[in-house]
Amino acid sequence: MKANELKRKYIDYFVNKGHTEIQSASLIPENDPSVLFTTAGMHPLAPYLLGEKHPAGKRLVDCQKCIRTGDIDEVGDASHLTMFQMMGNWSLGDYFKKESIQMSYDFLVNILGIDPNNLAVTAFAGDENAPRDEETVSIWKSMGMKDDHIFFYGKKDNWWGPAGVTGPCGPDTEIFYIDQSKPKCSDECGPSCHCGRYLEIWNNVFMEYNKTSEGKYEKLKQQNVDTGLGLERTLCVLEHIPSVYDTEFFTPIIKDIENASGLKYADSIREFRIIADHMRAAVFILGDDKGVAPSNLDQGYVLRKLIRRTIRYMQKLGMSWEPMIDIANTVVREYSGEYPELERNKAFILEQLQNEAIKFAKTLDQGLRLTERILEGMDQNGTVSGEDAFKLYTSFGFPLDLTIELAAEKGIGVDSVKFEELFKEHQQISRAGSMQKFKGGLADASEETTKLHTATHLLGAALRKVLGPDVHQKGSNITAERLRFDFSFDRKMTKDELDEVEKLVNEAIKAGITVVCEEMTLGDARERNAEGVFGDKYGEMVKVYTIGTVSCEICGGPHVTNTAQIGGFKIKKEEASSAGVRRIKAVVGEQYA
């Protein structure tokens, strides 16, 4: 079965079950400070999981492009990917566990033809926050699932969310494909072990809780279903092939690497897979309409890491960085039919890859010179300290294996144990910092964030009035403390321009304008000249928020009912975000009136 055929079967099946197809959203979450990337289909739908009415109805289906970096060290095995495509079906306060499980089973067994004896499922074992999910197990048994194919696990394995510190969450049931060619690794062998016998393909999340900032789990206003069926993994199962890297998604990229390196995929499987995965992910991040570029912060930092790891593994295969451009062209060619933004942003993709490769080449030279100084004078009984190895990693992006390789050439060892200790400490600090930095989460529809959300509309309108009609929003990020607004503009704003923008926003706030929300077709919204971040990414029905004659935008909300509720507006900073994109950070409140 071809990938497009599988995707179409999935979409059509759920459309026939009353779901409306919606398009994949951006990889950069809109107004969601809880995560750097869209890691699941739920991010673009967060307001609707919390009770907002979706213009397309209560039943939705999509195929969402996602980025997950938590498993980056596992990339290179048979199933883990940094960028992947997640098919999902949604119930927003409509059907719940029984219908969800029945449809999933029906699709896998009767539409895709998977033998039910090759399926296993898991359910939530219960804890102090939520009870054991006996209902889910009862439903699976009614579908014919055998007792020895059903497993109970705790929160680590069978609870999804929240994506940030707070937000929608709930127990889930995961569906696994059993590779019968692989024997059980032990008597306790099950989906939670990593022996390779069980491959997770589908996750049905029953979102019925909201985790608060105090750590409490409260019942949501409505019960939701959020499911995710991995496109790459499911295709792998249906094609009976050993890994996701052997699917049609990767074979053209693998061929490029073979041609450029003169090696065969079978000779360096892990290196080939890492290069293919990282380049595909990097091209998708660069190709996103929100204009992320390599940097030392946030999404740009992750992007830089992916590109530099790609170059390092290419070097391990004896390649220069130049073939990276050919691989990027292949990714754009293979995927732009489904994701036209890649072709639209192709020039930016290639330019940024080349710029980053040249920068890394200079950094690499500096790191090599430091390595030579560290190794100079050491005899064969010497050892590079863990601290020095870690400095090479943090300052120059040298992975441990590169330092070990360079030292081994002189017969010198490396204290990898100390390096791993420092590396783990670094990861823990980074995670803690990220959680603090991006606290707020998907559930943060507080009074403050709602004011800031409406203020972004006023800000966008003011920028277009001061700088011209070609200024458009390229992304935004809102926490309870401030808004961050990215917009298309190719130079630094003057103080007079910033003062005028601030003045216009405050005038709209003081005017006390009613904020009107209407549902209409996308065509009607365009006829009204409604502003929208990505015109080709909306469904047929959209929400349009109108603020008098000041602003008219397609948006999911939430918003204040009257601009006077914002209080006042103050621009704190204006800076460059990426090529051709500027960024404004601003705050609201009575003190800025």
Side-chain angles (χ1 to χ4, degrees):
M1 184 181 292
K2 293 291 185 183
N4 285 340
E5 182 186 356
L6 170 57
K7 184 175 175 180
R8 200 67 252 163
K9 277 182 180 288
Y10 181 86
I11 299 290
D12 290 346
Y13 175 86
F14 284 97
V15 167
N16 289 334
K17 296 290 184 181
H19 296 67
T20 300
E21 181 181 359
I22 58 175
Q23 297 303 305
S24 175
S26 169
L27 280 173
I28 314 303
E30 184 71 15
N31 297 319
D32 179 6
S34 63
V35 285
L36 291 177
F37 294 101
T38 298
T39 64
M42 70 167 292
H43 291 143
L45 297 174
Y48 313 108
L49 296 169
L50 293 166
E52 287 271 338
K53 185 180 177 183
H54 196 287
K58 293 184 176 182
R59 296 188 178 199
L60 309 173
V61 61
D62 67 359
C63 185
Q64 173 66 46
K65 55 182 179 177
C66 303
I67 291 280
R68 289 185 189 172
T69 58
D71 297 328
I72 196 167
D73 292 327
E74 295 183 60
V75 167
D77 66 5
S79 61
H80 284 92
L81 296 168
T82 305
M83 196 291 292
F84 59 94
Q85 299 163 91
M86 186 68 80
M87 300 181 288
N89 60 283
W90 307 81
S91 168
L92 305 174
D94 189 3
Y95 61 81
F96 203 45
K97 294 180 181 180
K98 182 178 180 181
E99 297 89 340
S100 174
I101 291 171
Q102 287 175 339
M103 285 188 284
S104 295
Y105 182 87
D106 182 44
F107 181 74
L108 291 174
V109 174
N110 298 318
I111 305 300
L112 298 186
I114 295 177
D115 185 343
N117 291 315
N118 291 334
L119 296 175
V121 299
T122 62
F124 180 55
D127 63 10
E128 68 277 8
N129 302 124
R132 185 178 175 91
D133 196 355
E134 297 288 0
E135 181 185 0
T136 286
V137 170
S138 175
I139 297 166
W140 277 119
K141 287 182 177 180
S142 73
M143 303 301 296
M145 191 66 66
K146 299 174 184 176
D147 284 346
D148 61 351
H149 283 225
I150 300 174
F151 301 80
F152 277 105
Y153 294 118
K155 259 202 177 77
K156 179 176 178 290
D157 293 296
N158 278 100
W159 184 276
W160 204 99
V165 178
T166 64
C169 55
D172 63 28
T173 180
E174 297 179 347
I175 307 172
F176 291 78
Y177 181 79
I178 306 171
D179 186 347
Q180 302 287 5
S181 68
K182 295 179 180 177
K184 289 188 174 183
C185 63
S186 67
D187 291 341
E188 290 75 36
C189 184
S192 68
C193 66
H194 302 285
C195 63
R197 178 176 167 83
Y198 296 88
L199 176 68
E200 181 192 345
I201 55 174
W202 209 338
N203 186 6
N204 292 31
V205 181
F206 306 123
M207 287 192 175
E208 50 186 321
Y209 294 92
N210 176 53
K211 186 179 179 183
T212 69
S213 56
E214 293 79 30
K216 296 179 180 178
Y217 289 83
E218 301 173 345
K219 283 282 189 175
L220 286 170
K221 296 176 184 177
Q222 64 185 33
Q223 293 180 324
N224 308 298
V225 174
D226 155 22
T227 88
L229 176 64
L231 182 58
E232 289 89 350
R233 288 188 179 186
T234 306
L235 187 65
C236 183
V237 166
L238 296 176
E239 293 292 294
H240 303 288
I241 50 183
S243 83
V244 291
Y245 295 95
D246 295 291
T247 64
E248 65 185 81
F249 290 116
F250 286 96
T251 48
I253 306 172
I254 297 291
K255 190 67 178 173
D256 277 347
I257 303 170
E258 286 185 327
N259 291 339
S261 67
L263 301 172
K264 291 296 181 185
Y265 170 48
D267 298 328
S268 301
I269 291 176
R270 184 170 181 270
E271 289 80 4
F272 268 73
R273 288 175 175 177
I274 290 172
I275 293 168
D277 168 86
H278 286 12
M279 274 307 300
R280 188 174 81 143
V283 169
F284 266 82
I285 295 170
L286 285 164
D288 198 277
D289 281 319
K290 293 197 176 177
V292 173
S295 70
N296 289 325
L297 292 171
D298 302 340
Q299 292 95 347
Y301 175 77
V302 174
L303 175 59
R304 171 164 285 167
K305 181 177 181 180
L306 289 169
I307 296 171
R308 293 189 172 190
R309 280 191 108 218
T310 299
I311 294 170
R312 180 57 205 141
Y313 278 95
M314 290 175 77
Q315 289 178 333
K316 290 186 73 173
L317 297 182
M319 303 163 64
S320 66
W321 66 264
E322 283 86 353
M324 189 167 64
I325 302 301
D326 296 327
I327 297 170
N329 276 314
T330 296
V331 175
V332 172
R333 183 188 70 239
E334 294 293 319
Y335 287 90
S336 57
E338 288 289 317
Y339 303 102
E341 63 271 20
L342 298 181
E343 182 63 40
R344 187 162 60 242
N345 298 314
K346 181 178 176 180
F348 178 76
I349 294 169
L350 302 182
E351 174 192 51
Q352 293 299 320
L353 286 174
Q354 179 170 314
N355 290 346
E356 185 61 21
I358 293 170
K359 286 179 185 176
F360 186 45
K362 293 178 181 176
T363 303
L364 198 58
D365 287 340
Q366 293 171 343
L368 288 171
R369 286 197 295 272
L370 176 59
T371 305
E372 285 298 322
R373 289 201 297 272
I374 292 170
L375 298 176
E376 194 174 319
M378 279 190 176
D379 58 31
Q380 291 193 357
N381 295 320
T383 301
V384 176
S385 71
E387 288 83 358
D388 280 340
F390 188 66
K391 180 180 179 181
L392 286 167
Y393 170 75
T394 54
S395 299
F396 303 105
F398 274 34
L400 178 62
D401 59 354
L402 172 57
T403 304
I404 291 173
E405 180 184 318
L406 294 170
E409 291 174 1
K410 295 182 178 290
I412 296 169
V414 176
D415 186 354
S416 57
V417 174
K418 182 61 177 178
F419 174 90
E420 293 296 344
E421 287 178 9
L422 294 168
F423 181 71
K424 285 178 182 176
E425 288 176 14
H426 173 71
Q427 282 187 315
Q428 289 170 353
I429 292 168
S430 296
R431 287 195 190 105
S434 294
M435 292 301 283
Q436 180 66 22
K437 183 173 184 180
F438 299 107
K439 67 181 180 179
L442 295 166
D444 194 4
S446 66
E447 181 180 348
E448 289 307 308
T449 56
T450 302
K451 291 176 183 177
L452 286 159
H453 203 150
T454 306
T456 61
H457 287 217
L458 298 177
L459 172 58
L463 285 166
R464 283 187 291 279
K465 191 166 185 178
V466 172
L467 302 179
D470 291 334
V471 170
H472 299 288
Q473 181 179 343
K474 298 295 288 183
S476 66
N477 179 281
I478 292 174
T479 69
E481 291 78 30
R482 58 101 181 110
L483 69 84
R484 193 182 77 193
F485 187 87
D486 292 353
F487 57 98
S488 54
F489 199 57
D490 58 4
R491 65 166 173 82
K492 181 179 176 64
M493 291 178 64
T494 66
K495 184 180 184 303
D496 287 344
E497 288 170 337
L498 288 169
D499 288 345
E500 181 64 19
V501 167
E502 193 176 277
K503 175 172 166 285
L504 288 171
V505 174
N506 277 309
E507 284 177 351
I509 292 170
K510 290 174 184 175
I513 306 168
T514 300
V515 180
V516 177
C517 176
E518 299 172 275
E519 291 184 14
M520 63 185 70
T521 66
L522 183 58
D524 287 343
R526 283 177 173 152
E527 283 186 13
R528 286 200 191 183
N529 295 317
E531 182 75 11
V533 183
F534 307 114
D536 61 340
K537 292 298 182 187
Y538 296 109
E540 178 55 30
M541 295 297 295
V542 295
K543 282 186 176 182
V544 174
Y545 283 86
T546 304
I547 307 174
T549 59
V550 176
S551 169
C552 180
E553 286 197 36
I554 301 171
C555 185
H559 288 280
V560 298
T561 56
N562 188 288
T563 58
Q565 295 169 250
I566 300 171
F569 176 84
K570 179 71 176 175
I571 294 175
K572 288 292 188 178
K573 193 172 187 179
E574 190 268 352
E575 60 189 352
S577 172
S578 59
V581 178
R582 303 296 297 180
R583 171 172 292 172
I584 280 178
K585 294 180 181 177
V587 292
V588 299
E590 299 291 340
Q591 65 271 37
Y592 305 115

